[in-house]
Amino acid sequence: MTSRSRHPGDESTGQAVPGTASAELLRSEPGARPRALLLSAGLVSAGAVALAAGALMPVVRGGSPGFTAAPLLVVLALAPAAAVLYALVSGRSGLTAGLVLGLTALAPGRLLLDLQLLADGSLAARPELFLADRLLAMPQAGPGLWPLVAGHLLTLAAGAFAAGAARDEAELAGELDGRRRWRLLGPVLGVAGGVGLLLAPFGSGNAYLLAKNAFEGPTVAMAGYLLLAALLPLTVLVAVSSPSAGVGKGGFAGAGLAALAVGVPPVAAGLVVDRLSVAPGSVVVTIAGLALVGLAFTRFDVAEADETVTGDLAGEARLPGLFWWRLATGGLALLAAGAAAAGALAPVLKANGPTPVPETPVRWLLLGAAVVLAVPALFVFVPRLSAFARGVVAATWAGVVLAGAAVLGAALSVTEDKAVDPALFGVDLPVPLPDKVGYSAGSGVTWTFIALVLAALAALAAVITGVVERDDSDEETDETRVSGTVLTPVVAAAVLAIAAFGTPVFGAPGYTAPGLWSNFGAASWGLLGAVAVVLGLYALVPRSRPVAAASALAGAALVLGLRAAELPLVGSEYEGSSAGIGFWLALGGAVVTLVAAGMAVAGSRRAG
């Protein structure tokens, strides 16, 4: 009997029957495509060997690591491959596929971090691989860099073969059984780890290795950290949604092991390297990685509330109920809105000398985003309106991302690092260096960054609240979907949204707007994040219940409206500004989206 011919309810698929305690924590899932799994495991193993070899060789010509990190790096490289091989030999096909996919998802970001050594190793914050002891300008890559690159590419190739097996396991598992609240801890850890990846990896008192966060670092490394910060929670969310317990557990473990490979070396460097110190960012990443690996040893098939499970403490664990999740969603959204308002009203820039501080008009867009998020967040606390308001919050948090990235981009474009004080590094000069005349980030930047973190947590809480709402619902109409007629305006709105975020909302003499296809900068990440959220909501509409679809569409319309509001809020601060094509596209997209929301509600009434 082949894997595709097995019945979804067959116990040989590895899915435990809710209410029983006979399943192992890492249970066997004899799955599909054994040759593909064998090949993917071989590629992961080859990649691990390449990563270990790269750690043993110099990655920069004439350079050396800041401490003896090779044993640690070898263990971090080989441990994931050992887990994959163990799962494969044990016949756990779902676990094998999930492990490989978890490792693959974070491989692109890790590859970019290593490629920073090729772009300019003197700017790479990688003391476990290279620590300069003198001023270097564009040092040449060493022989160890190429095995590191090959290792990540082999891991990416392994994911291509494991994806089909994971899909087969999900099909065999059928619908996701039981309540998923225990595994919902995973996305919380994923977001926490993503936030940690954006912070400075360590503290530094070394003149040749400055401690910078993701936004302040060099371009290639910044792209790597941003990609990791986005893919870590996304990978965990995909693992949570998998009907196959094995694939879900493997996704958790693979993502956790990959996160440990990024977070542990900076922690070790902060502990043993002179003039370096441990920073919260890497500690958070390490804790999140360990916790994700630990969750892989918990029971994913949680029994219903009225069924007793014995012999598995994880099966009896309970997470907070709907009231508390709604409280968390509304509270986090209000905190994010408050932080965004503080970021808009506090000084974004401060002068390092007698230089006038320029205005930052984009901060008024951040204030508007705070209002757009705060209003629906208040209604989350109203029982009758909570479900609808929660769906709106799940969209409007993207407005904080849109405006917050623009504020950070404006600050980064004009700020300069302060002159280094040689006394901090044990160097005495007969004449002190003068201060640079320029600008540095003000408290508004700090509040904006806090708002971005809180907004992401609010979005995650909103998603989890939606899952709990569906789990707690006893209505027979839960399977009702929106009418197919809604698809037409949704597709039209999606096209308008892509164009609206990709074209300037206003134009002014001497002003160049950030874009998606040209003039890509820090603010463009906000555009990309907002359009991704809006398109994701549109994609979920056909599979959503009418009220849920209407709330998501209403939130998407508000985000598009905020994009259009950039003209009066920001453009009015520029002399000679005029409306651009993006303004009309955003308005049109908002109107079409509201029409789709109305059609979803009307369909709901007819269905009743």
Side-chain angles (χ1 to χ4, degrees):
M1 180 170 60
T2 63
S3 59
R4 286 188 177 275
S5 63
R6 285 178 290 170
H7 190 276
D10 196 332
E11 291 183 0
S12 64
T13 62
Q15 299 298 312
V17 178
T20 67
S22 60
E24 300 178 8
L25 290 179
L26 295 176
R27 65 181 68 86
S28 175
E29 291 194 25
R33 310 192 188 196
R35 294 181 180 177
L37 285 179
L38 182 61
L39 183 56
S40 65
L43 289 171
V44 165
S45 301
V49 172
L51 292 173
L56 297 174
M57 295 184 288
V59 296
V60 172
R61 293 188 183 277
S64 60
F67 65 105
T68 307
L72 174 64
L73 297 179
V74 169
V75 171
L76 292 173
L78 297 181
V84 170
L85 292 175
Y86 171 76
L88 182 67
V89 173
S90 302
R92 298 173 172 90
S93 57
L95 183 65
T96 305
L99 275 166
V100 174
L101 292 178
L103 294 169
T104 299
L106 270 64
R110 296 178 62 189
L111 174 62
L112 288 174
L113 294 185
D114 288 342
L115 287 178
Q116 180 59 53
L117 294 164
L118 178 63
D120 189 351
S122 65
L123 300 178
R126 303 294 297 279
E128 73 277 11
L129 295 174
F130 168 65
L131 181 59
D133 56 1
R134 61 189 184 279
L135 290 177
L136 296 173
M138 299 291 290
Q140 293 184 345
L145 178 61
W146 310 116
L148 294 178
V149 172
H152 297 311
L153 293 178
L154 287 170
T155 305
L156 284 170
F161 293 97
R167 184 170 58 251
D168 289 344
E169 291 293 327
E171 292 176 356
L172 290 170
E175 296 293 331
L176 186 62
D177 293 330
R179 302 192 177 201
R180 293 162 282 179
R181 296 185 185 181
W182 183 243
R183 66 168 76 180
L184 290 178
L185 285 176
V188 177
L189 295 170
V191 170
V195 171
L197 288 164
L198 298 177
L199 303 177
F202 44 74
S204 176
N206 190 319
Y208 306 113
L209 182 61
L210 300 180
K212 297 183 178 182
N213 60 43
F215 299 100
E216 298 173 333
T219 303
V220 179
M222 179 184 71
Y225 281 119
L226 291 176
L227 194 58
L228 286 170
L231 289 178
L232 178 58
L234 180 61
T235 302
V236 178
L237 281 173
V238 172
V240 166
S241 63
S242 175
S244 169
V247 173
K249 293 180 180 188
F252 274 32
L257 290 171
L260 288 175
V262 178
V264 171
V267 173
L271 292 173
V272 302
V273 177
D274 187 29
R275 300 188 182 278
L276 295 186
S277 59
V278 177
S282 296
V283 173
V284 171
V285 176
T286 301
I287 294 175
L290 289 172
L292 286 172
V293 174
L295 280 179
F297 291 89
T298 61
R299 186 187 185 97
F300 267 37
D301 303 271
V302 181
E304 297 291 344
D306 57 346
E307 295 177 295
T308 302
V309 179
T310 59
D312 190 350
L313 296 179
E316 297 176 351
R318 310 305 300 167
L319 288 187
L322 181 57
F323 169 79
W324 296 106
W325 280 117
R326 285 177 172 173
L327 182 64
T329 300
L332 287 170
L334 288 176
L335 289 175
L345 299 176
V348 176
L349 298 170
K350 59 181 180 180
N352 297 332
T355 306
V357 178
E359 292 292 333
T360 311
V362 75
R363 62 196 179 104
W364 300 119
L365 183 64
L366 183 60
L367 185 61
V371 175
V372 170
L373 179 61
V375 172
L378 292 173
F379 289 98
V380 173
F381 302 106
V382 181
R384 290 182 178 273
L385 302 176
S386 182
F388 187 89
R390 188 268 313 160
V392 177
V393 168
T396 53
W397 74 279
V400 176
V401 175
L402 173 68
V407 170
L408 294 179
L412 290 174
S413 65
V414 297
T415 54
E416 295 179 356
D417 290 329
K418 295 181 180 179
V420 176
D421 184 1
L424 296 176
F425 308 107
V427 179
D428 295 327
L429 293 179
V431 180
L433 293 175
D435 292 335
K436 286 185 177 180
V437 177
Y439 307 99
S440 57
S443 58
V445 172
T446 302
W447 281 112
T448 300
F449 185 81
I450 294 173
L452 290 172
V453 174
L454 291 173
L457 292 175
L460 177 61
V463 172
I464 295 177
T465 303
V467 175
V468 177
E469 285 174 350
R470 287 190 293 273
D471 286 342
D472 283 355
S473 177
D474 295 327
E475 298 178 5
E476 295 181 357
T477 58
D478 283 351
E479 296 302 320
T480 304
R481 297 291 182 264
V482 297
S483 172
T485 57
V486 179
L487 188 60
T488 299
V490 165
V491 172
V495 174
L496 290 172
I498 295 174
F501 286 103
T503 54
V505 172
F506 70 93
Y511 172 77
T512 303
L516 293 178
W517 301 289
S518 62
N519 194 34
F520 194 93
S524 301
W525 290 101
L527 296 172
L528 188 61
V531 72
V533 171
V534 170
L535 293 180
L537 293 170
Y538 289 152
L540 292 175
V541 166
R543 303 182 59 183
S544 300
R545 290 172 293 175
V547 175
S551 65
L553 290 169
L558 286 175
V559 176
L560 285 166
L562 183 66
R563 172 63 171 166
E566 187 176 341
L567 173 62
L569 293 177
V570 182
S572 60
E573 300 291 326
Y574 291 89
E575 185 177 355
S577 63
S578 59
I581 186 64
F583 172 76
W584 304 108
L585 291 171
L587 276 184
V591 171
V592 174
T593 302
L594 288 176
V595 170
M599 293 174 63
V601 173
S604 174
R605 291 175 178 173
R606 287 196 299 270

